[in-house]
Amino acid sequence: MNVKQFIKKHRDDWKQLEQLVTMMHKRKKEVAGSTIDQFYRLYQKAAQNLSYSQTYFPKEEVTFYLNGLVSKSHNVLYKDQMSSMHQVRHFFSTTFIRLLWEQWKFVVAALVLFTIGAAGSYLSVLQDPQNMYSILPPEIAYGVDPDSLGDDNGYWDSSVMSASIMTNNIQVAILAFAGGVTFGLLTVYILIYNGIIIGALAALFWTHGKTYEFWAYIVPHGMIELTAIFIAGGAGLLMGYKLFVPGDYSRGYQLKVNAKRSVQLLLGTVPLFVIAGIIEGFITPAPIPLEAKYFVAFVTVIGLILYIIIGKRLFLRESGRLEQIRAGA
């Protein structure tokens, strides 16, 4: 049986189980015994379908779909309703990391697009620094003085520059996500264009011999901020790709399913922007040694790595428990 035959054979049961999950979430106490029996039967079949799909179609979209459906059904059947705080903790500690791990290719694609734009503008401004004025927005191009960066007179200039970049990056993250509905074309443009801005700035400071100082004012908050942008961009690319290549499902269905995933990925970046904002407000403009700023950047990178590693272990542990239940089903 190929994947198309598999989907066609079981799709009606999955849709029916989805409807029952929604019904039992909203009116659990009013559900009749016969409905619960039907729900349990469909849940068992979906669990068996998931095991089959994981074996024969591990990389197909249907496997991710069934994993989500079985997980939601399991929560309805075996767990009490989580408290709001518990739901928030579970989302950021497990669900967000699982989604990030499943869609990491799109996040990497966002990074690559950003890098392409940055490399192109970097080389362009190195060749002719005047190109900066045709590349950068006027408020940045005319508001940056590389020779004063790090001096007492340039303190506020550097702070304004960092604030402009942060505001721009938050807008970029939202637009990069929303651009998914344009089949990802707007997302691609936004990622490349904003890579162009960072590349042009980096080249400008290089030509003035201020590269070390420039990155000291960027990386403390920029490591987290750019990570959040790449995740948001990856969410937009995911949605755009599924609309462009819907596979065995309709584009309407792909939009419904993957828009939800993409929104969850975007929501997961909110704490990253908050942390980046705190660092930018207290560390980036602080009159401390540049080495200390680089140390903060190093700590943020280590923190991100640990967060992903711990989150992966948590969702693997949860997946292991679900697998045991499926085996019993």
Side-chain angles (χ1 to χ4, degrees):
M1 183 186 303
N2 60 35
V3 66
K4 291 184 178 180
Q5 293 171 331
F6 175 70
I7 293 172
K8 184 177 181 180
K9 181 178 179 180
H10 300 289
R11 181 165 46 196
D12 291 340
D13 287 338
W14 301 339
K15 288 183 178 179
Q16 192 173 0
L17 180 58
E18 278 188 350
Q19 294 171 353
L20 289 176
V21 167
T22 302
M23 178 191 303
M24 294 181 70
H25 264 305
K26 293 180 178 179
R27 303 189 302 274
K28 190 172 183 179
K29 294 182 179 179
E30 302 176 9
V31 176
S34 58
T35 303
I36 295 176
D37 290 340
Q38 183 185 22
F39 171 82
Y40 185 69
R41 177 180 59 82
L42 291 171
Y43 165 71
Q44 286 183 313
K45 289 184 65 175
Q48 294 168 359
N49 293 157
L50 175 59
S51 296
Y52 183 91
S53 186
Q54 288 175 327
T55 302
Y56 296 100
F57 319 117
K59 301 297 183 181
E60 296 289 341
E61 175 70 19
V62 66
T63 302
F64 297 114
Y65 164 75
L66 285 172
N67 185 62
L69 178 60
V70 171
S71 296
K72 287 188 292 186
S73 302
H74 168 266
N75 290 339
V76 169
L77 195 60
Y78 291 102
K79 292 185 178 180
D80 293 328
Q81 185 70 25
M82 293 181 179
S83 67
S84 297
M85 187 56 65
H86 188 186
Q87 288 178 328
V88 171
R89 287 201 305 268
H90 184 268
F91 173 78
F92 286 108
S93 66
T94 306
T95 304
F96 173 63
I97 299 299
R98 175 178 58 79
L99 288 169
L100 185 60
W101 200 259
E102 289 175 354
Q103 315 302 337
W104 68 269
K105 293 181 181 178
F106 293 96
V107 178
V108 172
L111 167 62
V112 170
L113 290 169
F114 184 92
T115 303
I116 289 173
S121 65
Y122 184 84
L123 295 175
S124 175
V125 174
L126 277 186
Q127 183 178 8
D128 183 1
Q130 293 301 313
N131 289 339
M132 170 187 81
Y133 297 101
S134 60
I135 293 175
L136 295 175
E139 63 271 18
I140 296 179
Y142 293 98
V144 175
D145 183 5
D147 292 326
S148 66
L149 183 64
D151 298 335
D152 292 338
N153 293 332
Y155 172 76
W156 290 110
D157 290 339
S158 64
S159 180
V160 170
M161 180 186 68
S162 295
S164 297
I165 293 174
M166 178 183 177
T167 302
N168 177 72
N169 285 342
I170 294 174
Q171 295 173 344
V172 169
I174 296 174
L175 289 174
F177 156 74
V181 299
T182 64
F183 295 87
L185 296 178
L186 179 59
T187 303
V188 171
Y189 167 77
I190 289 171
L191 289 167
I192 292 177
Y193 176 70
N194 283 273
I196 287 173
I197 292 177
I198 296 298
L201 282 172
L204 175 65
F205 281 84
W206 172 269
T207 60
H208 286 75
K210 293 283 188 175
T211 294
Y212 188 76
E213 292 83 351
F214 168 75
W215 288 115
Y217 280 94
I218 297 298
V219 293
H221 62 273
M223 301 304 294
I224 294 181
E225 215 164 56
L226 289 177
T227 299
I229 287 175
F230 298 148
I231 293 173
L237 292 175
L238 165 66
M239 188 161 47
Y241 175 76
K242 294 302 182 180
L243 287 175
F244 191 72
V245 186
D248 297 310
Y249 301 92
S250 68
R251 285 189 170 85
Y253 172 82
Q254 290 287 20
L255 179 62
K256 176 184 175 182
V257 172
N258 290 290
K260 181 179 179 180
R261 289 184 190 173
S262 296
V263 167
Q264 288 178 317
L265 282 172
L266 180 64
L267 289 176
T269 65
V270 171
L272 298 181
F273 280 119
V274 171
I275 295 171
I278 293 172
I279 293 174
E280 190 160 17
F282 293 94
I283 303 297
T284 299
I288 59 177
L290 298 182
E291 290 74 16
K293 298 178 189 288
Y294 279 107
F295 178 74
V296 171
F298 174 76
V299 171
T300 61
V301 171
I302 296 300
L304 283 171
I305 293 173
L306 289 176
Y307 171 53
I308 293 173
I309 291 175
I310 294 172
K312 183 183 178 184
R313 288 183 177 178
L314 288 175
F315 86 72
L316 286 178
R317 185 186 304 169
E318 183 179 88
S319 298
R321 289 198 298 265
L322 287 173
E323 191 62 36
Q324 291 177 350
I325 293 171
R326 291 175 201 134

